[in-house]
């Protein structure tokens, strides 16, 4: 079922109004190098036939020192004498084009843009093609907003590809979760879609539809916890954890995604501020990973290097540190205030300023902003009609439906009967009729047509009663428990919509607890006890919640996690609960028990330390109890797997020198990945064909997750590791096959304590559901 019949008339009116506005209020977007202007026409930087680097160098050579310094901040002013308009580097598009930054305005012909589910829910689909289609739609809408004259820039500061390391992190909702492989593949899909590349990559030339910026580089995952904030936090990270957890998403973002932007994070890593780390920005990103793009600071990150971290003795030193490290543009005004004195004090050489400016203007040229009238260029035909289009709204609906995770379905309580017109339904809870803060998450724009969860249920059950349950939203310090219980007693079915919102988890606010806030649990238990049938619990949240009480309560028959499901999340959830869509989402994060809060959020170690009782983090290393595992998710169908074929059981590594290490009196042979050529790694790849069968009576879209573990667990190595995933659509009773290509260098390697990737000799086990298959590596 697609966009429901009740939504079509609303969309028709919306789109008709949209088209009429476009026709009557068209506005010209800002651009340089007007062909009708004889003054600028002769400049080499306006000649599209010249190489971009040459054009950027010519432009920078024409600027005065004051003009140069003025362009090193996110709000770059115009340069009238050269015909260059102002430019805003800061725009947001985390899960839809948003006016959360100053670069986008919804005050003209375009009043809104498609608001897709928050990233953590979209990630639960484990579907890179869906991720790509979403980012492609966002890139199209971004160009449409620009072409309508409502954008001062086309550089969008997304995606957020930090690892969701700690369940309390307020910004974990913005990320694809805790797994480096998932996060890396999300980064690549998002960047390719937004910038105008193909799904498989390779189509993108020099021209950009829009510019993506992977953030926050690096090891940033604490905002404000117990009085310690991100501005002064010094993340102590081992080389081992950097190599196999924190850095891989950024490496993929640059190497495979070809991102045109990076944002350096506020925090320090091992004492050095990220934005002042030459080894990170230049040594790693530019030299090792061959990054060609611009690097921005997070907002205010330059000033805090001096004023809060005390790393730089003066403001001028802070500016010198970041420019020397390789940063190109500051979000803020510290360079505006102190840049000239930094130059006069000879702390900042002009060549570093010129390098930064050449990187910045190269991006603006790649965006087509120096090629004359953009309406006549590559992306000039993208109009307002492609913003909030029916196709994009359908995509938002699909994303929510395919991400929502069914956590419990006792005695097949779900789906509810939709054929009985007299069914009565109570929808109770602080998130049941909430609007943007509960449904959209953070960094959202103005949605095209928001459908609340209550509206979605009302479409299916005409006899729907709503009660908010809590007096003060999700805080739930005060609850109308007796009134809610009376409502629940009168109806056939009860859906409780509980969880979190942005008052609980957000930027600058990490959680202190992992259980439900206030009196939510008491409200749930009271209603479940009084209801005629087992109740259905729906949780909205970005981070995990300890609902162990509900997991084992037979009076709570169904549990669904809906993340922050976007503007059509209300429709998506109702379609799942009433059986018009078969749920298939799987958790992209581990759900920890509430006593995990005893682990300091500041401890960046991924690996468990049994000697101190430290349990480790994420499914790869965590050794403690779990409420729900990473990758957990039920369906209305039962699926089974079968290893149909594996190209080879034994993998021989003979092409390089073998190293030895001793652990517990056992000698372990291993190879350094850096010693193996790319050709050697490719030749050792193993092709795997996995059979998947849908044993249910409904068609379903099912994520297939392939894990690996070592037959003999060794210290510091993952408990298990995701090595591949695909989403497959299967009709009722259908069997299909999916293929995986496993490279020992990439998928079976681990990082040693020196941060070097190694492949160890020994037995490995491939895992798909309950099926296992052995592989042996022989050196």
């Amino acid at each position: 079922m697609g966009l429901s019949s009740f939504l079509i008339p609303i969309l028709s009116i919306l789109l008709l109004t949209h088209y009429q506005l476009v026709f009557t209020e068209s506005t010209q977007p800002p651009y340089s190098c007007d062909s009708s202007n004889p003054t600028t026409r002769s400049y080499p930087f306006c000649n599209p036939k010249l190489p971009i680097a040459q054009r950027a160098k010519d432009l920078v050579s024409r600027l005065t020192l004051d003009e140069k310094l003025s362009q090193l901040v996110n709000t770059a002013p115009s340069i009238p004498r050269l015909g260059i308009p102002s430019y805003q580097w800061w725009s947001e598009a985390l899960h839809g084009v948003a006016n959360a930054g100053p670069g986008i305005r919804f005050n003209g012909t375009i009043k809104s843009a498609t608001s897709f589910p928050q990233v953590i829910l979209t990630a639960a689909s484990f579907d890179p093609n869906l991720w790509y289609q979403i980012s492609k739609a966002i890139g199209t809408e971004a160009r449409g907003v620009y072409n309508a004259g409502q954008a001062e820039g086309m550089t969008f500061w997304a995606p957020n590809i930090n690892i969701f390391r700690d369940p309390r992190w307020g910004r974990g909702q913005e990320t694809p979760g805790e797994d480096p492989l998932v996060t890396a593949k999300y980064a690549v899909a998002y960047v390719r879609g937004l910038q105008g590349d193909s799904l498989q990559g390779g189509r993108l030339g020099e021209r950009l539809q829009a510019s993506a910026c992977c953030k926050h580089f690096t090891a940033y995952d604490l905002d404000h916890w117990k009085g310690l904030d991100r501005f002064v936090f010094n993340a102590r990270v081992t080389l081992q954890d950097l190599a196999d957890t924190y850095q891989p998403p950024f490496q993929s973002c640059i190497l495979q995604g070809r991102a045109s932007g990076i944002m350096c994070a506020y925090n320090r890593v091992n004492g050095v501020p990220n934005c002042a780390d030459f080894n990170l920005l230049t040594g790693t990103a530019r030299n090792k990973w061959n990054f060609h793009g611009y690097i921005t600071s997070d907002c205010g990150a330059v000033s805090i290097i001096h004023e809060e971290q005390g790393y730089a003795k003066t403001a001028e030193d802070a500016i010198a540190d970041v420019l020397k490290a390789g940063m190109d543009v500051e979000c803020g005004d510290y360079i505006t205030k102190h840049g000239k004195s930094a130059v006069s004090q000879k702390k900042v050489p002009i060549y570093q300023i010129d390098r930064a400016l050449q990187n910045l203007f190269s991006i603006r040229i790649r965006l087509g902003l120096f090629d004359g009238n953009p309406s006549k260029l590559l992306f000039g035909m993208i109009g307002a009609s492609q913003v909030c289009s029916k196709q994009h709204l359908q995509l938002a609906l699909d994303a929510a439906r395919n991400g929502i995770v069914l956590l419990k379905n006792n005695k097949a309580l779900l789906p509810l009967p939709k054929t009985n017109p007299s069914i009565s339904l109570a929808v109770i809870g602080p998130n049941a009729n909430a609007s943007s803060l509960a449904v959209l998450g953070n960094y959202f724009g103005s949605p095209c047509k928001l459908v609340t969860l209550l509206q979605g249920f009302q479409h299916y059950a005409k006899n729907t009663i709503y009660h908010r349950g809590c007096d003060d939203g999700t805080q739930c310090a005060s609850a109308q428990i007796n009134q809610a219980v009376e409502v629940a007693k009168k109806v056939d079915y009860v859906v409780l919509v509980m969880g979190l919102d942005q008052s609980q988890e957000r930027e600058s606010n990490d959680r202190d607890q992992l259980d439900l806030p206030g009196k939510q649990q008491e409200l749930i238990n009271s209603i479940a006890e009084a209801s005629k049938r087992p109740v259905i619990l729906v949780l909205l949240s970005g981070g995990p919640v300890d609902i162990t009480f509900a997991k084992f309560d037979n009076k709570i028959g169904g549990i669904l996690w809906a993340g922050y499901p976007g503007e059509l999340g209300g429709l998506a959830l109702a379609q799942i609960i009433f059986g018009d869509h078969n749920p298939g989402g799987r958790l992209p994060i581990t759900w920890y028990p509430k006593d995990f809060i005893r682990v300091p959020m500041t401890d960046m170690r991924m690996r468990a330390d049994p000697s101190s009782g430290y349990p480790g983090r994420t499914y790869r290393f965590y050794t403690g109890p779990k409420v729900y595992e990473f990758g957990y998710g039920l369906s209305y169908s039962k699926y089974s797997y079968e290893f149909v074929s594996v190209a080879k059981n034994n993998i021989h590594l003979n092409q390089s020198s073998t190293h030895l290490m001793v652990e517990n009196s056992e000698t372990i042979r291993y190879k350094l990945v850096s010693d193996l050529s790319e050709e050697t790694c490719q030749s050792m790849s193993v092709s795997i064909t996995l059979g998947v069968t849908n044993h249910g009576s409904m068609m379903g879209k099912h994520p297939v997750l392939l894990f690996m573990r070592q037959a003999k667990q060794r210290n510091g190595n993952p408990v298990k590791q995701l090595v591949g995933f695909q989403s497959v659509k299967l009709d009722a009773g259908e069997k299909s096959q999916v293929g995986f290509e496993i490279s020992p260098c990439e998928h079976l390697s681990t990082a040693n304590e020196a941060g070097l990737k190694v492949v160890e000799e020994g037995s490995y086990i491939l895992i798909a559901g309950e099926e296992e298959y052995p592989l042996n590596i022989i050196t």
Side-chain angles (χ1 to χ4, degrees):
M1 184 177 181
L3 291 170
S4 69
S5 56
F6 93 104
L7 194 59
I8 293 293
I10 297 173
L11 289 176
S12 298
I13 295 170
L14 175 75
L15 293 174
L16 178 60
T17 306
H18 198 70
Y19 296 148
Q20 290 171 339
L21 285 169
V22 170
F23 180 75
T24 56
E25 300 180 27
S26 178
T27 308
Q28 185 72 48
Y31 63 92
S32 301
C33 302
D34 187 346
S35 60
S36 64
N37 184 343
T39 305
T40 60
R41 190 167 51 195
S42 61
Y43 290 140
F45 69 78
C46 286
N47 184 353
K49 296 181 181 179
L50 294 177
I52 288 176
Q54 183 178 338
R55 295 173 67 187
K57 186 175 182 180
D58 173 74
L59 193 161
V60 172
S61 72
R62 298 174 185 276
L63 302 180
T64 66
L65 177 59
D66 287 340
E67 288 171 339
K68 288 180 178 181
L69 293 171
S70 75
Q71 298 295 307
L72 295 178
V73 294
N74 66 288
T75 304
S78 63
I79 307 174
R81 68 182 185 87
L82 296 177
I84 299 173
S86 61
Y87 187 82
Q88 178 56 254
W89 287 91
W90 178 10
S91 293
E92 299 287 353
L94 180 69
H95 54 107
V97 179
N99 53 353
I104 297 293
R105 305 181 308 276
F106 290 132
N107 61 351
T109 62
I110 297 173
K111 305 295 184 184
S112 56
T114 307
S115 190
F116 295 92
Q118 181 60 293
V119 176
I120 193 67
L121 186 70
T122 298
S125 68
F126 286 86
D127 186 354
N129 180 62
L130 175 66
W131 304 340
Y132 170 79
Q133 294 299 332
I134 289 172
S135 64
K136 183 180 177 182
I138 294 172
T140 298
E141 294 199 358
R143 183 60 74 157
V145 172
Y146 169 78
N147 288 343
Q150 293 177 227
E152 292 185 49
M154 285 294 291
T155 38
F156 293 88
W157 291 353
N160 181 342
I161 56 171
N162 295 117
I163 296 298
F164 199 165
R165 170 188 61 93
D166 190 288
R168 293 162 285 190
W169 187 30
R171 301 188 73 177
Q173 59 180 297
E174 301 174 27
T175 76
E178 68 182 34
D179 181 73
L181 178 67
V182 173
T183 304
K185 286 186 176 295
Y186 180 88
V188 172
Y190 181 96
V191 170
R192 285 175 176 171
L194 189 88
Q195 295 192 161
D197 203 350
S198 64
L199 172 62
Q200 301 303 325
R203 192 182 73 187
L204 183 69
E206 291 186 324
R207 297 302 178 177
L208 297 169
Q209 176 178 248
S211 169
C213 174
C214 289
K215 64 182 186 182
H216 311 81
F217 196 40
T218 189
Y220 166 72
D221 49 25
L222 179 149
D223 267 62
H224 194 278
W225 180 76
K226 291 192 175 182
L228 179 68
D229 66 32
R230 55 187 174 168
F231 306 125
V232 298
F233 177 51
N234 180 25
R236 299 192 181 277
V237 187
T238 67
L239 293 175
Q240 189 174 33
D241 287 340
L242 274 173
D244 71 1
T245 297
Y246 297 107
Q247 295 293 61
F250 290 97
Q251 183 175 1
S252 293
C253 179
I254 292 168
L255 285 174
Q256 283 83 50
R258 295 184 62 196
S260 50
I262 301 172
M263 175 185 287
C264 50
Y266 290 115
N267 59 292
R268 290 171 288 167
V269 173
N270 300 327
V272 182
N274 279 307
C275 291
D277 190 340
F278 177 88
N279 181 59
L280 180 71
L281 305 187
T282 298
T284 300
R286 293 199 186 278
N287 295 343
K288 188 176 179 180
W289 297 340
N290 202 28
F291 174 63
H292 296 289
Y294 78 99
I295 299 176
T296 179
S297 77
D298 207 336
C299 297
V302 178
S303 65
I304 67 170
I305 291 173
H306 165 57
E307 295 179 2
E308 297 196 41
Q309 295 174 350
Y311 180 83
K313 292 182 179 180
T314 67
E316 290 79 9
D317 288 332
I319 294 169
D321 287 343
V322 296
L323 288 174
K324 180 181 179 181
M327 192 200 80
D328 300 311
V329 63
E330 175 204 5
C331 182
D333 60 1
Y334 219 53
I335 293 178
T336 301
K337 294 176 179 177
H338 305 288
K340 198 163 188 179
S341 60
V343 173
S344 64
Q345 293 175 28
K346 300 190 184 306
K347 293 183 175 181
V348 174
I350 298 299
Y351 76 84
Q352 289 181 355
I353 294 174
D354 288 351
R355 177 223 70 218
L357 291 170
Q358 286 168 20
N359 289 335
L360 295 174
F361 281 110
S362 290
I363 295 296
R364 291 171 66 174
I365 293 171
R366 291 183 67 190
L367 286 164
L369 307 186
F370 283 80
D371 293 341
N373 190 337
S375 66
K376 300 176 182 178
L377 301 176
L378 179 60
F379 303 107
M381 297 305 292
I382 298 175
S385 64
Q386 290 174 262
V387 182
C388 287
S389 67
K390 182 179 177 181
Q391 291 79 8
H392 292 173
L393 290 170
Q394 180 67 53
L395 189 59
L397 176 62
D398 288 341
R401 294 191 304 191
N402 293 323
I404 291 172
V405 181
L406 179 64
L407 296 172
K408 179 180 179 180
N409 192 19
N410 271 13
K411 298 180 180 179
L413 173 65
L414 296 172
L416 297 184
K418 63 182 177 182
T419 55
N420 184 354
S422 63
I423 184 176
S424 58
L425 179 71
V427 183
I428 302 172
N431 280 332
N433 198 33
S435 56
S436 57
L437 285 179
V439 179
L440 301 183
N442 66 356
Y443 281 97
F444 60 87
S446 176
C448 313
K449 176 54 188 173
L450 181 68
V451 177
T452 68
L453 304 190
L454 178 61
Q455 289 172 330
F457 290 124
Q458 287 171 333
H459 175 67
Y460 281 91
K462 303 305 179 187
N463 186 11
T464 296
I465 304 171
Y466 160 68
H467 193 282
R468 63 182 178 174
C470 300
D471 292 317
D472 54 346
T474 59
Q475 306 275 2
C476 209
S478 172
Q480 300 175 16
I481 295 177
N482 292 335
Q483 297 95 317
V485 164
E486 290 305 312
V487 170
K489 286 179 178 179
K490 299 174 183 177
V491 299
D492 299 318
Y493 295 97
V494 176
V495 177
L496 297 163
V497 189
M498 316 298 281
L500 312 176
D501 62 15
Q502 300 307 299
S503 68
Q504 306 289 327
E505 54 177 354
R506 65 183 184 277
E507 187 169 5
S508 300
N509 187 69
D510 301 319
R511 285 190 287 161
D512 295 322
Q513 306 293 328
L514 292 180
D515 42 11
L516 287 168
K519 296 186 176 182
Q520 286 194 37
Q521 182 172 334
E522 182 183 351
L523 177 64
I524 293 167
N525 287 336
S526 298
I527 292 173
E529 181 68 31
S531 297
K532 297 176 184 177
R533 294 181 174 89
V535 301
I536 299 147
L537 174 61
V538 175
L539 294 170
L540 300 190
S541 72
V545 181
D546 185 347
I547 52 166
T548 303
F549 75 95
K551 180 179 179 180
F552 296 110
D553 187 343
N554 289 330
K555 293 183 178 179
I556 300 173
I559 305 175
L560 298 105
W561 174 67
Y564 296 119
E567 65 174 276
L568 294 182
L571 181 55
L573 180 65
Q575 289 183 354
I576 288 173
I577 286 180
F578 283 93
D580 276 331
H581 185 82
N582 194 353
R586 304 179 73 167
L587 293 177
I589 42 175
T590 301
W591 282 35
Y592 300 85
K594 58 187 178 183
D595 61 2
F596 186 85
I597 63 171
R598 292 181 296 191
V599 176
M601 195 172 173
T602 50
D603 195 325
M604 301 291 290
R605 289 178 296 167
M606 300 303 299
R607 288 154 168 86
D609 180 9
S611 65
S612 65
Y614 181 70
R617 295 179 180 276
T618 77
Y619 81 95
R620 297 164 63 227
F621 302 106
Y622 177 64
T623 55
K626 308 174 186 71
V627 180
Y628 291 108
E629 289 191 326
F630 171 90
Y632 180 81
L634 304 175
S635 171
Y636 297 151
S637 297
K638 178 177 174 55
Y639 296 90
S640 67
Y641 307 107
E642 175 191 4
F643 283 94
V644 176
S645 67
V646 178
K648 50 191 170 186
N649 294 78
N650 297 321
I651 303 170
H652 294 269
L653 303 179
N654 299 321
Q655 289 86 350
S656 65
S657 58
T658 299
H659 302 265
L660 304 176
M661 62 179 173
V662 178
E663 181 180 297
N664 298 327
S665 302
E666 178 187 1
T667 300
I668 302 166
R669 298 157 64 88
Y670 68 91
K671 300 278 189 179
L672 288 171
V673 172
S674 59
D675 289 345
L676 301 171
S677 67
E678 186 174 337
E679 293 76 16
T680 298
C681 288
Q682 288 178 348
S683 70
M684 294 186 299
S685 291
V686 180
S687 297
I688 298 168
T689 302
L690 198 64
V692 188
T693 303
N694 178 356
H695 297 280
S697 59
M698 290 181 68
M699 184 273 285
K701 191 174 181 185
H702 179 65
V704 179
L705 309 187
L706 182 65
F707 292 93
M708 175 277 295
R709 66 175 173 84
Q710 286 182 304
K712 184 175 182 179
Q713 179 67 30
R714 296 194 175 112
N715 289 344
N717 289 351
V719 176
K720 66 176 181 178
Q721 170 71 53
L722 186 68
V723 295
F725 58 93
Q726 289 189 42
S727 179
V728 59
K729 186 179 289 186
L730 295 171
D731 288 329
E734 183 183 1
K735 180 175 182 178
S736 185
Q737 294 182 350
V738 293
F740 295 95
E741 197 74 19
I742 302 302
S743 165
C745 298
E746 179 182 356
H747 301 112
L748 304 185
S749 63
T750 58
N752 64 17
E753 292 183 357
L756 301 175
K757 287 294 190 76
V758 301
V759 182
E760 296 178 5
E761 184 179 60
S763 297
Y764 294 76
I765 308 295
L766 295 171
I767 309 164
E770 297 178 357
E771 300 299 311
E772 296 187 349
Y773 195 94
L775 281 180
N776 298 305
I777 292 183
I778 302 167
T779 59

